[in-house]
Amino acid sequence: MYDTADLNKVMDNALRLKLDAFLKTFEDEDIFIKSGFWRFKANDQDHGHLLQNYWVIFGPSQQLYIDVDKDNQMSAILQYKIDDSYAWMTNIARNSLKTLGIPSVKAFDYTLFTVEGKDMLWQYRDDDNLNYVHIGSKTGKVWKVTNELGINWKNDADFKNSFAKPKLSKNKALSIAVPTVRSIFGIELKGYSVRIQENEYTFTKKGATTLIGKINTKGAFYSFEAIPSKGVRN
């Protein structure tokens, strides 16, 4: 572990310049504050870490990762209280969760501003990570909405038994998904095809955004995620 003042001593110049350029992608009101950093490399036997060889720069409720094994790919997370988030975006998140239609919901406790590659998202979450909504920071578009309180199978065996055969036909899945997808994402599913794998329904159309929905044993969608055709969410 190191103090922020030591960054220039232990990080090579090329990487520091790349880090500075990455930090400039943040909005003025979302400044990343460096309090310290550390360098981590896991042993071959250590599989408890998502990343194995990386830098971490941290600040108050902030973390920035540099993945050395992936050409120093950078990502960052800034955490905010709900009251410190944009009110209009919080309303979008809450309305999207409500539109999903699962009767039980859990209030959001905080939001994360995340930057990874060209993706820049606000992620609304609760402390138990049961409800979450991802919204593009520049466009205000919803990219994902999930309410895991809609999950109703008892265990893995129950899941496999419940979805051994398609719970919904392709046409039925489309008819159920159309109004929800239109309301949350502003996307019309006309001309989309459907692929089914267990409880996951993937709606695709050439050159258009892909929608991935997940259903419970009652055939109700508790999650939708939009995957843009060009791969950028912001």
Side-chain angles (χ1 to χ4, degrees):
M1 294 189 68
Y2 301 92
D3 293 328
T4 304
D6 294 325
L7 188 64
N8 293 346
K9 300 177 183 178
V10 298
M11 183 179 287
D12 66 80
N13 187 60
L15 183 53
R16 281 193 289 108
L17 290 175
K18 185 176 181 179
L19 173 62
D20 290 342
F22 178 76
L23 291 173
K24 289 179 181 178
T25 65
F26 289 85
E27 302 293 339
D28 291 339
E29 62 268 33
D30 301 311
I31 300 299
F32 194 97
I33 302 170
K34 298 188 289 291
S35 299
F37 67 101
W38 69 77
R39 180 72 170 87
F40 181 91
K41 192 174 191 306
N43 297 320
D44 292 338
Q45 297 83 9
D46 189 351
H47 301 292
H49 297 269
L50 181 62
L51 303 180
Q52 298 294 303
N53 184 16
Y54 59 94
W55 297 84
V56 179
I57 292 92
F58 59 89
S61 300
Q62 303 172 358
Q63 289 182 320
L64 188 156
Y65 296 91
I66 304 175
D67 191 342
V68 177
D69 290 336
K70 292 187 178 179
D71 194 29
N72 293 322
Q73 180 177 308
M74 299 184 186
S75 59
I77 301 171
L78 286 70
Q79 183 171 325
Y80 295 87
K81 297 177 181 178
I82 291 296
D83 290 343
D84 294 333
S85 304
Y86 298 114
W88 64 269
M89 195 173 290
T90 301
N91 287 334
I92 290 176
R94 288 171 175 162
N95 289 336
S96 297
L97 192 62
K98 182 178 179 180
T99 301
L100 194 57
I102 300 300
S104 298
V105 297
K106 195 172 187 301
F108 296 119
D109 293 301
Y110 62 93
T111 182
L112 303 175
F113 178 62
T114 64
V115 180
E116 183 173 2
K118 294 183 179 180
D119 283 2
M120 300 179 71
L121 300 171
W122 286 93
Q123 301 186 18
Y124 283 82
R125 303 191 178 207
D126 60 84
D127 287 335
D128 296 318
N129 203 27
L130 294 172
N131 298 324
Y132 37 98
V133 178
H134 297 180
I135 301 174
S137 66
K138 294 182 179 179
T139 62
K141 289 183 178 180
V142 176
W143 293 105
K144 186 174 185 177
V145 52
T146 296
N147 183 353
E148 293 191 358
L149 290 170
I151 295 175
N152 63 347
W153 52 85
K154 299 176 182 178
N155 49 43
D156 290 345
D158 186 26
F159 175 88
K160 291 180 180 180
N161 181 61
S162 298
F163 301 107
K165 296 180 180 179
K167 182 68 63 174
L168 300 174
S169 68
K170 294 181 179 181
N171 287 338
K172 184 63 175 178
L174 270 168
S175 67
I176 294 174
V178 162
T180 303
V181 168
R182 179 191 297 126
S183 180
I184 295 176
F185 301 98
I187 295 173
E188 297 292 342
L189 291 179
K190 185 177 181 180
Y192 272 72
S193 60
V194 186
R195 185 174 70 251
I196 306 170
Q197 184 176 4
E198 296 181 323
N199 76 322
E200 187 172 284
Y201 288 70
T202 302
F203 305 86
T204 59
K205 181 180 177 181
K206 186 176 180 179
T209 299
T210 294
L211 277 301
I212 301 174
K214 294 182 179 181
I215 65 171
N216 59 23
T217 62
K218 294 181 179 180
F221 283 96
Y222 67 88
S223 176
F224 274 108
E225 181 174 9
I227 310 295
S229 58
K230 296 183 179 180
V232 178
R233 299 172 297 171
N234 56 35

Short mmCIF file of all heavy atoms in Angstrom, two decimals, residues 31-84:
data_model
loop_
_atom_site.label_atom_id
_atom_site.label_comp_id
_atom_site.label_asym_id
_atom_site.label_seq_id
_atom_site.Cartn_x
_atom_site.Cartn_y
_atom_site.Cartn_z
N ILE A 31 -15.87 14.25 -9.47
CA ILE A 31 -14.42 14.23 -9.41
C ILE A 31 -13.94 13.02 -8.62
O ILE A 31 -14.46 12.70 -7.56
CB ILE A 31 -13.88 15.52 -8.75
CG1 ILE A 31 -14.32 16.74 -9.56
CG2 ILE A 31 -12.36 15.47 -8.64
CD1 ILE A 31 -13.83 16.77 -10.98
N PHE A 32 -12.92 12.34 -9.17
CA PHE A 32 -12.32 11.23 -8.45
C PHE A 32 -11.21 11.78 -7.55
O PHE A 32 -10.26 12.40 -8.01
CB PHE A 32 -11.75 10.20 -9.42
CG PHE A 32 -11.42 8.89 -8.77
CD1 PHE A 32 -12.30 7.84 -8.80
CD2 PHE A 32 -10.22 8.72 -8.08
CE1 PHE A 32 -12.02 6.64 -8.18
CE2 PHE A 32 -9.93 7.54 -7.45
CZ PHE A 32 -10.83 6.49 -7.50
N ILE A 33 -11.34 11.55 -6.26
CA ILE A 33 -10.39 12.06 -5.27
C ILE A 33 -9.47 10.92 -4.84
O ILE A 33 -9.92 9.91 -4.32
CB ILE A 33 -11.11 12.64 -4.05
CG1 ILE A 33 -12.06 13.76 -4.50
CG2 ILE A 33 -10.12 13.16 -3.02
CD1 ILE A 33 -12.98 14.24 -3.40
N LYS A 34 -8.17 11.06 -5.04
CA LYS A 34 -7.21 10.03 -4.69
C LYS A 34 -6.76 10.18 -3.24
O LYS A 34 -6.20 11.19 -2.86
CB LYS A 34 -6.01 10.08 -5.64
CG LYS A 34 -6.35 9.83 -7.10
CD LYS A 34 -5.12 9.69 -7.95
CE LYS A 34 -4.37 10.99 -8.15
NZ LYS A 34 -5.11 11.95 -8.98
N SER A 35 -7.02 9.17 -2.41
CA SER A 35 -6.57 9.17 -1.02
C SER A 35 -5.37 8.26 -0.81
O SER A 35 -4.59 8.44 0.13
CB SER A 35 -7.70 8.71 -0.10
OG SER A 35 -8.81 9.57 -0.19
N GLY A 36 -5.22 7.27 -1.67
CA GLY A 36 -4.13 6.32 -1.56
C GLY A 36 -4.26 5.27 -2.63
O GLY A 36 -5.20 5.30 -3.44
N PHE A 37 -3.33 4.34 -2.67
CA PHE A 37 -3.40 3.29 -3.68
C PHE A 37 -2.59 2.08 -3.23
O PHE A 37 -1.79 2.15 -2.29
CB PHE A 37 -2.91 3.80 -5.04
CG PHE A 37 -1.45 4.14 -5.09
CD1 PHE A 37 -0.54 3.26 -5.65
CD2 PHE A 37 -0.97 5.34 -4.59
CE1 PHE A 37 0.80 3.57 -5.71
CE2 PHE A 37 0.37 5.66 -4.64
CZ PHE A 37 1.27 4.77 -5.21
N TRP A 38 -2.84 0.96 -3.90
CA TRP A 38 -2.02 -0.21 -3.65
C TRP A 38 -1.84 -1.00 -4.93
O TRP A 38 -2.57 -0.86 -5.90
CB TRP A 38 -2.58 -1.08 -2.54
CG TRP A 38 -3.87 -1.82 -2.80
CD1 TRP A 38 -4.03 -2.95 -3.54
CD2 TRP A 38 -5.16 -1.49 -2.30
NE1 TRP A 38 -5.35 -3.35 -3.53
CE2 TRP A 38 -6.07 -2.47 -2.76
CE3 TRP A 38 -5.66 -0.47 -1.47
CZ2 TRP A 38 -7.42 -2.45 -2.45
CZ3 TRP A 38 -7.00 -0.46 -1.17
CH2 TRP A 38 -7.86 -1.42 -1.65
N ARG A 39 -0.82 -1.83 -4.91
CA ARG A 39 -0.50 -2.72 -6.04
C ARG A 39 -0.72 -4.15 -5.55
O ARG A 39 -0.23 -4.53 -4.50
CB ARG A 39 0.96 -2.50 -6.46
CG ARG A 39 1.42 -3.38 -7.63
CD ARG A 39 0.77 -2.92 -8.93
NE ARG A 39 1.40 -3.58 -10.07
CZ ARG A 39 1.01 -4.77 -10.54
NH1 ARG A 39 0.02 -5.41 -9.95
NH2 ARG A 39 1.61 -5.29 -11.60
N PHE A 40 -1.47 -4.94 -6.34
CA PHE A 40 -1.81 -6.29 -5.91
C PHE A 40 -1.52 -7.29 -7.02
O PHE A 40 -1.84 -7.07 -8.18
CB PHE A 40 -3.30 -6.37 -5.55
CG PHE A 40 -3.74 -7.72 -5.07
CD1 PHE A 40 -3.72 -8.03 -3.72
CD2 PHE A 40 -4.18 -8.68 -5.97
CE1 PHE A 40 -4.12 -9.28 -3.27
CE2 PHE A 40 -4.58 -9.93 -5.52
CZ PHE A 40 -4.55 -10.23 -4.18
N LYS A 41 -0.88 -8.39 -6.63
CA LYS A 41 -0.70 -9.52 -7.55
C LYS A 41 -0.95 -10.80 -6.77
O LYS A 41 -0.28 -11.07 -5.77
CB LYS A 41 0.70 -9.53 -8.16
CG LYS A 41 0.83 -10.50 -9.33
CD LYS A 41 2.19 -10.38 -10.00
CE LYS A 41 2.22 -11.13 -11.33
NZ LYS A 41 1.82 -12.54 -11.22
N ALA A 42 -1.94 -11.56 -7.21
CA ALA A 42 -2.32 -12.78 -6.48
C ALA A 42 -1.35 -13.91 -6.76
O ALA A 42 -0.68 -13.95 -7.81
CB ALA A 42 -3.73 -13.20 -6.90
N ASN A 43 -1.25 -14.83 -5.81
CA ASN A 43 -0.51 -16.06 -6.03
C ASN A 43 -1.30 -16.96 -6.96
O ASN A 43 -2.52 -16.81 -7.13
CB ASN A 43 -0.27 -16.79 -4.70
CG ASN A 43 0.60 -15.98 -3.76
OD1 ASN A 43 1.55 -15.35 -4.19
ND2 ASN A 43 0.26 -16.01 -2.48
N ASP A 44 -0.64 -17.93 -7.58
CA ASP A 44 -1.32 -18.83 -8.50
C ASP A 44 -2.46 -19.59 -7.81
O ASP A 44 -3.45 -19.96 -8.43
CB ASP A 44 -0.32 -19.82 -9.10
CG ASP A 44 0.67 -19.15 -10.02
OD1 ASP A 44 0.35 -18.05 -10.52
OD2 ASP A 44 1.76 -19.72 -10.23
N GLN A 45 -2.31 -19.82 -6.49
CA GLN A 45 -3.30 -20.58 -5.76
C GLN A 45 -4.46 -19.73 -5.26
O GLN A 45 -5.46 -20.23 -4.74
CB GLN A 45 -2.66 -21.28 -4.55
CG GLN A 45 -1.59 -22.30 -4.91
CD GLN A 45 -0.24 -21.66 -5.17
OE1 GLN A 45 -0.06 -20.46 -4.92
NE2 GLN A 45 0.70 -22.44 -5.68
N ASP A 46 -4.33 -18.42 -5.39
CA ASP A 46 -5.34 -17.50 -4.85
C ASP A 46 -6.40 -17.21 -5.90
O ASP A 46 -6.17 -16.48 -6.85
CB ASP A 46 -4.66 -16.20 -4.41
CG ASP A 46 -5.59 -15.29 -3.63
OD1 ASP A 46 -6.79 -15.59 -3.58
OD2 ASP A 46 -5.12 -14.30 -3.06
N HIS A 47 -7.57 -17.81 -5.72
CA HIS A 47 -8.66 -17.63 -6.69
C HIS A 47 -9.81 -16.82 -6.10
O HIS A 47 -10.90 -16.79 -6.66
CB HIS A 47 -9.17 -18.99 -7.16
CG HIS A 47 -8.13 -19.84 -7.79
ND1 HIS A 47 -7.55 -19.55 -9.00
CD2 HIS A 47 -7.53 -21.00 -7.35
CE1 HIS A 47 -6.65 -20.47 -9.31
NE2 HIS A 47 -6.62 -21.36 -8.32
N GLY A 48 -9.58 -16.15 -4.99
CA GLY A 48 -10.65 -15.43 -4.32
C GLY A 48 -10.83 -14.00 -4.81
O GLY A 48 -11.65 -13.26 -4.28
N HIS A 49 -10.06 -13.60 -5.83
CA HIS A 49 -10.13 -12.22 -6.32
C HIS A 49 -10.60 -12.20 -7.76
O HIS A 49 -10.17 -13.03 -8.58
CB HIS A 49 -8.76 -11.53 -6.21
CG HIS A 49 -8.27 -11.40 -4.81
ND1 HIS A 49 -8.53 -10.30 -4.03
CD2 HIS A 49 -7.54 -12.25 -4.04
CE1 HIS A 49 -7.97 -10.46 -2.84
NE2 HIS A 49 -7.37 -11.63 -2.81
N LEU A 50 -11.47 -11.25 -8.08
CA LEU A 50 -11.96 -11.11 -9.45
C LEU A 50 -10.82 -10.78 -10.39
O LEU A 50 -10.70 -11.33 -11.48
CB LEU A 50 -13.03 -10.02 -9.51
CG LEU A 50 -13.67 -9.77 -10.88
CD1 LEU A 50 -14.39 -11.04 -11.34
CD2 LEU A 50 -14.63 -8.61 -10.82
N LEU A 51 -9.95 -9.85 -9.97
CA LEU A 51 -8.76 -9.51 -10.72
C LEU A 51 -7.55 -10.13 -10.03
O LEU A 51 -7.51 -10.25 -8.80
CB LEU A 51 -8.58 -8.00 -10.80
CG LEU A 51 -9.74 -7.20 -11.41
CD1 LEU A 51 -9.42 -5.72 -11.42
CD2 LEU A 51 -10.06 -7.69 -12.81
N GLN A 52 -6.55 -10.52 -10.81
CA GLN A 52 -5.39 -11.20 -10.25
C GLN A 52 -4.13 -10.33 -10.21
O GLN A 52 -3.20 -10.62 -9.47
CB GLN A 52 -5.10 -12.46 -11.06
CG GLN A 52 -6.22 -13.48 -11.04
CD GLN A 52 -6.45 -14.08 -9.67
OE1 GLN A 52 -5.55 -14.64 -9.06
NE2 GLN A 52 -7.66 -13.93 -9.16
N ASN A 53 -4.11 -9.29 -11.01
CA ASN A 53 -2.89 -8.50 -11.16
C ASN A 53 -3.30 -7.07 -11.49
O ASN A 53 -3.61 -6.76 -12.62
CB ASN A 53 -2.03 -9.10 -12.28
CG ASN A 53 -0.70 -8.40 -12.43
OD1 ASN A 53 -0.25 -7.66 -11.55
ND2 ASN A 53 -0.06 -8.62 -13.57
N TYR A 54 -3.31 -6.19 -10.49
CA TYR A 54 -3.91 -4.88 -10.73
C TYR A 54 -3.42 -3.82 -9.75
O TYR A 54 -2.81 -4.11 -8.73
CB TYR A 54 -5.43 -5.00 -10.64
CG TYR A 54 -5.97 -5.50 -9.30
CD1 TYR A 54 -6.36 -4.62 -8.31
CD2 TYR A 54 -6.09 -6.87 -9.05
CE1 TYR A 54 -6.86 -5.08 -7.09
CE2 TYR A 54 -6.58 -7.33 -7.85
CZ TYR A 54 -6.97 -6.43 -6.87
OH TYR A 54 -7.44 -6.88 -5.67
N TRP A 55 -3.72 -2.58 -10.12
CA TRP A 55 -3.59 -1.42 -9.24
C TRP A 55 -4.98 -1.04 -8.73
O TRP A 55 -5.96 -1.22 -9.45
CB TRP A 55 -3.04 -0.20 -10.00
CG TRP A 55 -1.66 -0.33 -10.56
CD1 TRP A 55 -1.31 -0.89 -11.76
CD2 TRP A 55 -0.46 0.17 -9.98
NE1 TRP A 55 0.03 -0.79 -11.95
CE2 TRP A 55 0.60 -0.14 -10.88
CE3 TRP A 55 -0.15 0.83 -8.79
CZ2 TRP A 55 1.92 0.21 -10.62
CZ3 TRP A 55 1.17 1.18 -8.54
CH2 TRP A 55 2.19 0.86 -9.43
N VAL A 56 -5.03 -0.49 -7.54
CA VAL A 56 -6.26 0.10 -7.02
C VAL A 56 -5.94 1.49 -6.51
O VAL A 56 -5.04 1.65 -5.66
CB VAL A 56 -6.87 -0.73 -5.87
CG1 VAL A 56 -8.13 -0.03 -5.35
CG2 VAL A 56 -7.20 -2.12 -6.32
N ILE A 57 -6.61 2.50 -7.04
CA ILE A 57 -6.52 3.86 -6.49
C ILE A 57 -7.85 4.10 -5.79
O ILE A 57 -8.91 3.86 -6.37
CB ILE A 57 -6.28 4.91 -7.59
CG1 ILE A 57 -4.88 4.73 -8.20
CG2 ILE A 57 -6.37 6.31 -7.01
CD1 ILE A 57 -4.85 3.85 -9.40
N PHE A 58 -7.80 4.54 -4.55
CA PHE A 58 -9.04 4.68 -3.79
C PHE A 58 -9.17 6.07 -3.19
O PHE A 58 -8.20 6.79 -2.96
CB PHE A 58 -9.14 3.61 -2.68
CG PHE A 58 -8.02 3.64 -1.68
CD1 PHE A 58 -8.09 4.43 -0.55
CD2 PHE A 58 -6.89 2.85 -1.87
CE1 PHE A 58 -7.06 4.46 0.37
CE2 PHE A 58 -5.84 2.87 -0.95
CZ PHE A 58 -5.92 3.67 0.16
N GLY A 59 -10.44 6.45 -2.95
CA GLY A 59 -10.77 7.72 -2.32
C GLY A 59 -11.99 7.51 -1.45
O GLY A 59 -12.42 6.39 -1.25
N PRO A 60 -12.58 8.59 -0.95
CA PRO A 60 -13.80 8.45 -0.14
C PRO A 60 -14.95 7.89 -0.97
O PRO A 60 -15.43 8.56 -1.89
CB PRO A 60 -14.07 9.89 0.33
CG PRO A 60 -13.37 10.76 -0.65
CD PRO A 60 -12.16 10.00 -1.10
N SER A 61 -15.36 6.68 -0.68
CA SER A 61 -16.44 5.99 -1.42
C SER A 61 -16.12 5.89 -2.91
O SER A 61 -17.01 5.96 -3.75
CB SER A 61 -17.78 6.72 -1.21
OG SER A 61 -18.12 6.75 0.15
N GLN A 62 -14.84 5.72 -3.23
CA GLN A 62 -14.42 5.66 -4.63
C GLN A 62 -13.33 4.60 -4.79
O GLN A 62 -12.50 4.43 -3.92
CB GLN A 62 -13.88 7.01 -5.09
CG GLN A 62 -14.84 8.17 -4.93
CD GLN A 62 -14.20 9.50 -5.21
OE1 GLN A 62 -13.00 9.58 -5.50
NE2 GLN A 62 -14.98 10.55 -5.15
N GLN A 63 -13.37 3.92 -5.93
CA GLN A 63 -12.33 2.96 -6.24
C GLN A 63 -12.07 2.97 -7.74
O GLN A 63 -13.01 3.05 -8.53
CB GLN A 63 -12.72 1.55 -5.80
CG GLN A 63 -12.71 1.34 -4.29
CD GLN A 63 -13.07 -0.07 -3.90
OE1 GLN A 63 -13.95 -0.68 -4.49
NE2 GLN A 63 -12.39 -0.60 -2.91
N LEU A 64 -10.80 2.87 -8.12
CA LEU A 64 -10.41 2.83 -9.51
C LEU A 64 -9.46 1.64 -9.69
O LEU A 64 -8.49 1.51 -8.95
CB LEU A 64 -9.72 4.13 -9.92
CG LEU A 64 -9.41 4.35 -11.40
CD1 LEU A 64 -9.29 5.85 -11.69
CD2 LEU A 64 -8.12 3.64 -11.84
N TYR A 65 -9.79 0.78 -10.65
CA TYR A 65 -9.00 -0.42 -10.89
C TYR A 65 -8.25 -0.33 -12.21
O TYR A 65 -8.81 0.12 -13.21
CB TYR A 65 -9.89 -1.66 -10.90
CG TYR A 65 -10.57 -1.95 -9.58
CD1 TYR A 65 -11.83 -1.42 -9.31
CD2 TYR A 65 -9.96 -2.73 -8.62
CE1 TYR A 65 -12.47 -1.68 -8.10
CE2 TYR A 65 -10.59 -3.00 -7.41
CZ TYR A 65 -11.83 -2.47 -7.15
OH TYR A 65 -12.44 -2.72 -5.95
N ILE A 66 -7.01 -0.79 -12.21
CA ILE A 66 -6.21 -0.90 -13.43
C ILE A 66 -5.82 -2.36 -13.57
O ILE A 66 -5.04 -2.89 -12.77
CB ILE A 66 -4.96 -0.01 -13.38
CG1 ILE A 66 -5.33 1.45 -13.10
CG2 ILE A 66 -4.17 -0.13 -14.68
CD1 ILE A 66 -4.14 2.37 -12.91
N ASP A 67 -6.38 -3.03 -14.57
CA ASP A 67 -6.13 -4.45 -14.78
C ASP A 67 -4.87 -4.63 -15.63
O ASP A 67 -4.88 -4.45 -16.84
CB ASP A 67 -7.34 -5.09 -15.48
CG ASP A 67 -7.28 -6.61 -15.51
OD1 ASP A 67 -6.18 -7.15 -15.31
OD2 ASP A 67 -8.33 -7.24 -15.71
N VAL A 68 -3.77 -4.98 -14.97
CA VAL A 68 -2.48 -5.10 -15.65
C VAL A 68 -2.50 -6.21 -16.70
O VAL A 68 -1.89 -6.07 -17.77
CB VAL A 68 -1.36 -5.35 -14.62
CG1 VAL A 68 -0.01 -5.54 -15.31
CG2 VAL A 68 -1.28 -4.19 -13.63
N ASP A 69 -3.19 -7.30 -16.42
CA ASP A 69 -3.23 -8.43 -17.35
C ASP A 69 -4.04 -8.15 -18.60
O ASP A 69 -3.99 -8.91 -19.57
CB ASP A 69 -3.80 -9.67 -16.64
CG ASP A 69 -2.85 -10.23 -15.60
OD1 ASP A 69 -1.63 -9.99 -15.73
OD2 ASP A 69 -3.31 -10.89 -14.65
N LYS A 70 -4.82 -7.07 -18.59
CA LYS A 70 -5.62 -6.70 -19.76
C LYS A 70 -5.19 -5.34 -20.30
O LYS A 70 -6.00 -4.43 -20.48
CB LYS A 70 -7.12 -6.70 -19.42
CG LYS A 70 -7.67 -8.09 -19.14
CD LYS A 70 -9.18 -8.06 -18.96
CE LYS A 70 -9.73 -9.45 -18.75
NZ LYS A 70 -11.21 -9.43 -18.55
N ASP A 71 -3.89 -5.21 -20.51
CA ASP A 71 -3.33 -4.00 -21.11
C ASP A 71 -3.70 -2.75 -20.32
O ASP A 71 -4.03 -1.71 -20.88
CB ASP A 71 -3.78 -3.86 -22.57
CG ASP A 71 -2.96 -2.82 -23.33
OD1 ASP A 71 -1.78 -2.62 -22.98
OD2 ASP A 71 -3.52 -2.22 -24.26
N ASN A 72 -3.68 -2.87 -18.99
CA ASN A 72 -3.96 -1.75 -18.08
C ASN A 72 -5.36 -1.15 -18.32
O ASN A 72 -5.55 0.07 -18.26
CB ASN A 72 -2.89 -0.66 -18.21
CG ASN A 72 -1.54 -1.13 -17.70
OD1 ASN A 72 -1.47 -1.85 -16.71
ND2 ASN A 72 -0.48 -0.72 -18.37
N GLN A 73 -6.32 -2.02 -18.57
CA GLN A 73 -7.71 -1.57 -18.72
C GLN A 73 -8.20 -0.97 -17.41
O GLN A 73 -7.98 -1.52 -16.34
CB GLN A 73 -8.58 -2.76 -19.10
CG GLN A 73 -10.06 -2.43 -19.28
CD GLN A 73 -10.85 -3.63 -19.73
OE1 GLN A 73 -10.50 -4.29 -20.71
NE2 GLN A 73 -11.91 -3.95 -19.02
N MET A 74 -8.89 0.18 -17.50
CA MET A 74 -9.29 0.91 -16.31
C MET A 74 -10.80 0.94 -16.13
O MET A 74 -11.55 1.01 -17.09
CB MET A 74 -8.76 2.34 -16.36
CG MET A 74 -7.25 2.42 -16.42
SD MET A 74 -6.61 4.11 -16.35
CE MET A 74 -4.86 3.78 -16.63
N SER A 75 -11.22 0.90 -14.87
CA SER A 75 -12.63 1.04 -14.52
C SER A 75 -12.70 1.73 -13.17
O SER A 75 -11.75 1.65 -12.37
CB SER A 75 -13.31 -0.33 -14.46
OG SER A 75 -12.69 -1.16 -13.50
N ALA A 76 -13.80 2.40 -12.91
CA ALA A 76 -13.93 3.15 -11.66
C ALA A 76 -15.35 3.13 -11.15
O ALA A 76 -16.31 3.01 -11.92
CB ALA A 76 -13.47 4.60 -11.86
N ILE A 77 -15.47 3.25 -9.82
CA ILE A 77 -16.77 3.27 -9.15
C ILE A 77 -16.78 4.39 -8.13
O ILE A 77 -15.88 4.48 -7.29
CB ILE A 77 -17.05 1.94 -8.42
CG1 ILE A 77 -17.02 0.77 -9.41
CG2 ILE A 77 -18.38 1.99 -7.70
CD1 ILE A 77 -17.07 -0.58 -8.73
N LEU A 78 -17.80 5.27 -8.21
CA LEU A 78 -17.99 6.32 -7.22
C LEU A 78 -19.37 6.12 -6.60
O LEU A 78 -20.36 6.02 -7.32
CB LEU A 78 -17.93 7.72 -7.87
CG LEU A 78 -16.55 8.25 -8.27
CD1 LEU A 78 -15.98 7.49 -9.46
CD2 LEU A 78 -16.66 9.74 -8.63
N GLN A 79 -19.43 6.04 -5.29
CA GLN A 79 -20.69 5.77 -4.62
C GLN A 79 -21.28 7.05 -4.04
O GLN A 79 -20.57 7.87 -3.47
CB GLN A 79 -20.50 4.75 -3.50
CG GLN A 79 -21.80 4.37 -2.79
CD GLN A 79 -21.63 3.21 -1.84
OE1 GLN A 79 -20.85 2.29 -2.08
NE2 GLN A 79 -22.36 3.24 -0.73
N TYR A 80 -22.63 7.19 -4.18
CA TYR A 80 -23.34 8.35 -3.67
C TYR A 80 -24.57 7.92 -2.89
O TYR A 80 -25.16 6.88 -3.18
CB TYR A 80 -23.80 9.26 -4.82
CG TYR A 80 -22.69 9.89 -5.62
CD1 TYR A 80 -22.12 9.22 -6.71
CD2 TYR A 80 -22.21 11.16 -5.30
CE1 TYR A 80 -21.10 9.80 -7.44
CE2 TYR A 80 -21.20 11.74 -6.04
CZ TYR A 80 -20.64 11.06 -7.10
OH TYR A 80 -19.64 11.63 -7.83
N LYS A 81 -24.98 8.76 -1.96
CA LYS A 81 -26.27 8.56 -1.31
C LYS A 81 -27.37 8.92 -2.31
O LYS A 81 -27.16 9.74 -3.21
CB LYS A 81 -26.38 9.46 -0.07
CG LYS A 81 -25.36 9.16 1.02
CD LYS A 81 -25.52 10.15 2.17
CE LYS A 81 -24.49 9.89 3.25
NZ LYS A 81 -24.59 10.89 4.36
N ILE A 82 -28.53 8.33 -2.13
CA ILE A 82 -29.64 8.61 -3.04
C ILE A 82 -29.96 10.11 -3.06
O ILE A 82 -30.22 10.69 -4.12
CB ILE A 82 -30.89 7.81 -2.64
CG1 ILE A 82 -30.67 6.33 -2.91
CG2 ILE A 82 -32.13 8.31 -3.39
CD1 ILE A 82 -30.49 5.97 -4.37
N ASP A 83 -29.93 10.75 -1.91
CA ASP A 83 -30.26 12.17 -1.83
C ASP A 83 -29.25 13.04 -2.59
O ASP A 83 -29.55 14.20 -2.91
CB ASP A 83 -30.33 12.63 -0.38
CG ASP A 83 -31.53 12.05 0.36
OD1 ASP A 83 -32.46 11.58 -0.33
OD2 ASP A 83 -31.54 12.07 1.60
N ASP A 84 -28.06 12.51 -2.85
CA ASP A 84 -27.04 13.26 -3.58
C ASP A 84 -27.06 12.96 -5.08
O ASP A 84 -26.24 13.49 -5.82
CB ASP A 84 -25.65 12.94 -3.01
CG ASP A 84 -25.47 13.43 -1.58
OD1 ASP A 84 -26.15 14.42 -1.22
OD2 ASP A 84 -24.68 12.83 -0.84
#
